[in-house]
Amino acid sequence: MVLLTGRRMRLACNILGVLICMVLPATASGIKVIANPQMNVSRVSPDDLKDIFLQTKTSLAGASHVEPVLLKSGPAHELFVQWHIGKTVTMLMNYYRSLVFAGKATMPRILGSDAEVVDYVAKTKGAIGYVSEETNTRDVKILEVK
Amino acid sequence: MNLLSKTIVIMAVGGGLCQLPGQVNLELGGRQIQIHGSFSEGFASSSDNNYLRMDTSHGSFFTEGGLSVSSRVTDKLRVGVQAYDRYIGELGKGKVYLDWALVDYHWKDWLGFRGGKIKTPLGLYNDTQDQEFLYTWALLPQSLYPIDLRAVSIAHLGGDIYGNIKLKRAGSLAYDAFTGTISNDPRGGYVYGVQAQGVRLSSVDLGKQSGVDLRWSTPVTGLILGSSLVYSYRGFEGSFYPASPMFSYSTTLDRATAYYGEYTRGNFRASAEYRAQTRRAEGRAKVPGNPVMLRSGSEEPAWFVSASQRISKRVEAGGYYSHYHVDLINPRVPVTGPGRDHIFDKVVTVRLDVTKFWDFKIEGHFMDGVGAPGQAHGFYPQDNPTGLKPKTNMLVIRTGWYF
């Protein structure tokens, strides 16, 4: 058995990290990012997606206004928040509250189930949300995160 | 109401409040109206001096709460209002304040406008300092966020220009430039601090305030760096006890410069801020010609460093060191005695999140120094008639609900 220490260990970790990035998709597996079907967008970059949910980006090329829609809880919610926003669920909620109580934003729409998110996104111009992979998303557009 | 019965009432109210949903939404004319609120109750007990205008040496309760209503009128236009109330010893005394009330037009990501009464961005936490539920701490570092002086820094009546500029691979830069006026709080630390110097006030004029805050979300995940610059004006008219000629006091320079940073990684958070407060003022006799009686001022460098870690789903622990120093320039009364030019506060806290909307905190403060007379920073002669002692230890227990 070869023991990796010091510089070799760091090198191995870096190579492993690159390989993981090459193999895994930009979207966390188990999640679909969805948008209102009227939006003239089929793809969103990870940075833009993060900014939309942090409410620092309110439009996209092909959508004059975007509105983030969140799930209230569940594995898809936790995965999305950690993978795409880079915060824990608690930190994200505190971030929103800090904006709301300072008068700098309103709380984004938070819905209780995948079906409710799909229904709201389908009906609301500019809405972008996420649901678990097995959800029926026939009425909405699926965005590629790339 | 004795301690036990007050505690029971607080727990009962808290039990009811924590049944509330995460937010209350109403639909009116097809528009969503959001209602959010927070309420906190605390208890402070100190070893020697009374602190923050409370009778902390005998144990003192304090209360704080806010309620906001806001709505998005169009995709770009938003309106909102928040009421705020506090009862912290002589601070606030239960008066309901208009905390903020504004119209916000967010034209582009990089350009928006706000008008009305608006929370002032200064340093890391000025505009969110009342939201105890955001922090590990029961009390924010008082060197930079003194709750007795909240009114002179919390909000301005005027306008903001703000936005968020993408810097490609260098992250993004949020800016907020503002100008307006600040309002006086007769139940706030500024007035109590002036009165502590033996001044009988006839009027208080907290005038214009202008500034800018830049906040850089760096390419390093979780790292935010920023800087703020704020110019203010303070003045008053009055006379010294016993009856003496009227005089006016007004600042010729009142500038706060802040540099700050915050780093979060997983459940770990560290933050630090340095702020330099420079103040120069003139006292003029209210007689023909308004001759200058006194030119005075102060340099007040202050900073804090903090770190906290969420240990489990419900428990978070941390500590901070808060450093406040004051150099008086040509003071009216010479400052003598130990601890009269600084307050150094070492703090440890444990926070328990009872539910998603209910927290409970226990915090220990170990303070050295009481600051200078005339530069009110928590310690007031009105509450310590036998004199201030150089060291103070304090226990703070605080619980908060929010929706």
Side-chain angles (χ1 to χ4, degrees), chain B residues 279-281 283 292-298 327-335:
Chain B
R279 195 170 292 132
R280 300 289 183 272
V292 175
M293 296 157 50
L294 179 74
R295 285 195 172 88
S296 61
S298 63
D327 284 323
L328 296 178
I329 298 164
N330 196 21
R332 192 178 69 86
V333 179
V335 179

Side-chain angles (χ1 to χ4, degrees), chain B residues 249-319:
Chain B
Y249 166 96
S250 58
T251 52
T252 52
L253 173 66
D254 191 342
R255 180 184 64 216
T257 312
Y259 305 94
Y260 57 85
E262 184 175 77
Y263 178 67
T264 52
R265 187 179 175 91
N267 290 316
F268 173 77
R269 185 199 302 204
S271 55
E273 181 174 342
Y274 171 82
R275 194 183 302 173
Q277 181 91 39
T278 298
R279 195 170 292 132
R280 300 289 183 272
E282 285 179 349
R284 288 175 178 268
K286 294 288 284 180
V287 294
N290 289 332
V292 175
M293 296 157 50
L294 179 74
R295 285 195 172 88
S296 61
S298 63
E299 296 288 344
E300 297 171 65
W303 54 271
F304 80 87
V305 289
S306 73
S308 63
Q309 173 76 38
R310 184 158 287 272
I311 299 163
S312 67
K313 188 182 173 189
R314 296 194 186 280
V315 181
E316 196 169 291

Side-chain angles (χ1 to χ4, degrees), chain A residues 47 51 56-59 64-65 72 88 91 94 97-98 100-110, chain B residues 23 32 34 36-37 70 72 75 78 82 100 102 109 119 127-128 131 133-134 164 166 266-267 357 402:
Chain A
D47 279 352
D51 290 345
T56 56
K57 189 166 189 62
T58 57
S59 62
S64 61
H65 176 75
K72 191 174 182 181
T88 64
M91 282 177 180
N94 279 343
R97 286 187 190 112
S98 73
V100 168
F101 282 98
K104 294 186 172 171
T106 50
M107 188 69 85
R109 184 80 61 162
I110 298 172
Chain B
Q23 58 183 323
Q32 188 190 46
Q34 293 188 357
H36 294 272
S70 58
R72 192 167 285 285
D75 290 347
R78 186 174 58 82
Q82 179 163 283
W100 54 260
L102 55 83
D109 294 332
K119 286 278 183 89
D127 51 358
T128 57
Q131 303 164 38
F133 52 85
L134 294 179
N164 194 65
K166 291 291 286 182
N267 290 316
F357 310 110
Y402 40 95

Side-chain angles (χ1 to χ4, degrees), chain B residues 9-309:
Chain B
V9 169
I10 290 164
M11 297 307 285
V13 171
L17 285 170
C18 73
Q19 301 302 316
L20 289 168
Q23 58 183 323
V24 177
N25 292 329
L26 306 171
E27 294 284 340
L28 194 68
R31 292 195 183 91
Q32 188 190 46
I33 295 171
Q34 293 188 357
I35 301 171
H36 294 272
S38 65
F39 174 80
S40 77
E41 182 69 26
F43 176 77
S45 177
S46 63
S47 59
D48 288 294
N49 302 306
N50 286 314
Y51 189 48
L52 294 172
R53 299 250 49 201
M54 293 184 279
D55 186 15
T56 51
S57 59
H58 292 96
S60 183
F61 282 97
F62 59 98
T63 307
E64 200 175 30
L67 188 72
S68 75
V69 180
S70 58
S71 182
R72 192 167 285 285
V73 180
T74 68
D75 290 347
K76 298 184 188 299
L77 186 68
R78 186 174 58 82
V79 294
V81 61
Q82 179 163 283
Y84 171 80
D85 174 72
R86 68 174 175 172
Y87 212 122
I88 305 174
E90 294 295 312
L91 302 171
K93 299 189 78 172
K95 185 193 172 193
V96 177
Y97 297 82
L98 179 67
D99 200 26
W100 54 260
L102 55 83
V103 178
D104 182 338
Y105 185 72
H106 198 162
W107 183 51
K108 300 279 184 187
D109 294 332
W110 54 272
L111 185 62
F113 307 93
R114 292 189 190 106
K117 187 170 186 184
I118 305 159
K119 286 278 183 89
T120 301
L122 168 60
L124 267 173
Y125 305 131
N126 190 61
D127 51 358
T128 57
Q129 62 177 283
D130 306 321
Q131 303 164 38
E132 63 79 28
F133 52 85
L134 294 179
Y135 308 110
T136 309
W137 331 113
L139 295 177
L140 282 175
Q142 294 297 293
S143 58
L144 293 169
Y145 302 103
I147 56 177
D148 48 333
L149 297 174
R150 173 188 186 275
V152 296
S153 66
I154 193 71
H156 54 277
L157 184 63
D160 286 29
I161 298 174
Y162 71 96
N164 194 65
I165 301 165
K166 291 291 286 182
L167 304 173
K168 296 186 178 171
R169 293 189 176 188
S172 64
L173 182 71
Y175 70 92
D176 190 332
F178 62 92
T179 188
T181 57
I182 42 178
S183 53
N184 177 43
D185 177 10
R187 299 168 186 84
Y190 180 69
V191 167
Y192 292 135
V194 173
Q195 289 171 338
Q197 297 176 79
V199 175
R200 190 200 311 259
L201 282 168
S202 58
S203 68
V204 176
D205 175 20
L206 298 176
K208 285 183 181 174
Q209 187 177 61
S210 302
V212 63
D213 177 66
L214 300 172
R215 191 168 291 220
W216 177 33
S217 296
T218 71
V220 178
T221 305
L223 178 64
I224 291 169
L225 299 173
S227 180
S228 313
L229 175 65
V230 176
Y231 285 92
S232 308
Y233 171 85
R234 304 178 192 198
F236 62 83
E237 290 186 359
S239 59
F240 285 106
Y241 295 112
S244 66
M246 289 284 287
F247 71 95
S248 66
Y249 166 96
S250 58
T251 52
T252 52
L253 173 66
D254 191 342
R255 180 184 64 216
T257 312
Y259 305 94
Y260 57 85
E262 184 175 77
Y263 178 67
T264 52
R265 187 179 175 91
N267 290 316
F268 173 77
R269 185 199 302 204
S271 55
E273 181 174 342
Y274 171 82
R275 194 183 302 173
Q277 181 91 39
T278 298
R279 195 170 292 132
R280 300 289 183 272
E282 285 179 349
R284 288 175 178 268
K286 294 288 284 180
V287 294
N290 289 332
V292 175
M293 296 157 50
L294 179 74
R295 285 195 172 88
S296 61
S298 63
E299 296 288 344
E300 297 171 65
W303 54 271
F304 80 87
V305 289
S306 73
S308 63
Q309 173 76 38

Side-chain angles (χ1 to χ4, degrees), chain A residues 14-29:
Chain A
N14 287 339
I15 293 169
L16 189 62
V18 170
L19 288 173
I20 287 170
C21 288
M22 288 168 67
V23 170
L24 290 179
T27 314
S29 61

